[in-house]
């Protein structure tokens, strides 16, 4: 089973109340024969869907050996003010982990064009994954969860309910870095990509550190 299908299955578990759930384009890696110690990427936010409907989510996620889904989120809501104090046309973004229930840090507004950095790092002292979400270089949301070992990493474009009859705009992830606990030269062979292009997956240390300069996710129209 591909990483994106694993991540999607985890996401659905936490969203059973939604009438409809769908997934669009993706770039995903895993599982690795090692485990992921650290992952870092920057999402350049596109325009929100028009009209804004509940709900469309963009996220890079990591499925873990503990059955968790570490997934910092950028979400377009029909009423963004009620969720994070945002105004029409803005996103809500925050650090989040699906762990049976959806755990989250502070939710904050973000604009199209903002660069949202989503950083996940395993903390040896606490045995937790620490999440840090920054907007244009300023830390805005954090979360730490004991989630086991991360096995794969992938991007997602997820619709729920009314947003599954709409269009998600094209967007881009910049400067993605994934650091494994030990080298896995076959990690590149796990890549699954759909409705997306990239600058290419590279390693300079025989498979412990993997980088992608650019991941471009295409526009996607749902009809579910």
């Amino acid at each position: 089973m591909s990483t994106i299908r694993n991540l999607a299955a985890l996401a659905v578990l936490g969203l059973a109340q939604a009438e409809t759930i769908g997934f669009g384009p993706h770039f995903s890696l895993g599982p690795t024969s090692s485990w992921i110690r650290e992952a870092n990427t920057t999402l350049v936010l596109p325009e929100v869907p028009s009209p804004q409907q509940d709900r469309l989510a963009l996220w890079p996620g990591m499925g873990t050996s503990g059955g968790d889904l570490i997934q910092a989120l950028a979400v377009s809501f029909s009423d963004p003010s009620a969720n994070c104090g945002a105004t029409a046309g803005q996103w809500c973004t925050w650090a989040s982990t699906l762990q049976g229930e959806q755990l989250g840090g502070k939710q904050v507004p973000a604009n199209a064009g903002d660069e949202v950095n989503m950083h996940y790092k395993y903390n040896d002292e606490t045995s937790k994954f620490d999440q840090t979400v920054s907007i244009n270089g300023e830390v805005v949301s954090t979360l730490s969860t004991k989630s086991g070992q991360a096995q794969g990493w992938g991007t997602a474009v997820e619709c729920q309910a009314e947003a599954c009859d709409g269009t998600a705009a094209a967007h881009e992830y910049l400067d993605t870095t994934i650091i494994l606990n030990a080298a896995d030269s076959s990690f590149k062979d796990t890549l699954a990509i759909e409705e997306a292009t990239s600058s290419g997956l590279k390693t300079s240390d025989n498979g412990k550190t993997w980088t992608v300069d650019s991941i471009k996710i295409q526009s996607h129209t749902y009809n579910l």
Side-chain angles (χ1 to χ4, degrees):
M1 182 180 291
S2 68
T3 295
I4 190 60
R5 293 187 183 278
N6 283 324
L7 296 179
L10 287 170
V12 168
L13 290 177
L15 302 169
Q17 295 177 349
E19 296 176 3
T20 305
I21 298 171
F23 291 87
H26 63 262
F27 176 104
S28 67
L29 288 159
T32 172
S33 60
S34 179
W35 56 280
I36 299 171
R37 274 195 164 271
E38 185 174 359
N40 189 61
T41 194
T42 297
L43 167 63
V44 182
L45 288 174
E47 297 289 339
V48 297
S50 180
Q52 283 184 270
Q53 302 181 92
D54 280 337
R55 62 194 70 82
L56 180 81
L58 311 179
W59 49 267
M62 298 196 305
T64 76
S65 60
D68 293 359
L69 177 59
I70 297 169
Q71 51 166 180
L73 295 164
V75 181
S76 172
F77 293 100
S78 61
D79 186 0
S81 176
N83 287 276
C84 69
T87 59
Q90 288 187 305
W91 297 85
C92 294
T93 186
W94 68 99
S96 177
T97 295
L98 180 59
Q99 194 176 71
E101 60 181 344
Q102 198 83 44
L103 307 177
K106 181 182 179 182
Q107 298 188 24
V108 296
N111 298 303
D114 281 348
E115 295 190 355
V116 182
N117 180 260
M118 298 160 164
H119 184 208
Y120 313 145
K121 186 174 183 179
Y122 187 79
N123 187 325
D124 285 308
E125 293 184 0
T126 63
S127 299
K128 294 181 178 181
F129 268 101
D130 296 334
Q131 284 187 62
T132 304
V133 175
S134 304
I135 299 177
N136 301 326
E138 179 182 352
V139 174
V140 296
S141 186
T142 60
L143 181 68
S144 296
T145 53
K146 188 165 287 189
S147 297
Q149 297 178 342
Q151 300 170 317
W153 182 95
T155 70
V157 183
E158 177 184 355
C159 73
Q160 299 174 26
E162 287 81 7
C164 291
D165 185 20
T167 298
H171 52 283
E172 185 174 12
Y173 289 88
L174 300 174
D175 302 326
T176 300
T177 300
I178 299 170
I179 302 174
L180 306 181
N181 185 60
D184 176 7
S185 60
S186 64
F187 192 47
K188 65 181 183 300
D189 299 326
T190 68
L191 176 63
I193 189 167
E194 183 174 347
E195 295 181 63
T197 59
S198 83
S199 58
L201 185 64
K202 301 175 183 177
T203 180
S204 59
D205 58 5
N206 299 313
K208 184 174 182 179
T209 304
W210 296 87
T211 60
V212 188
D213 292 338
S214 170
I215 301 169
K216 293 184 178 180
I217 306 296
Q218 298 172 15
S219 173
H220 182 81
T221 298
Y222 295 94
N223 185 19
L224 301 179

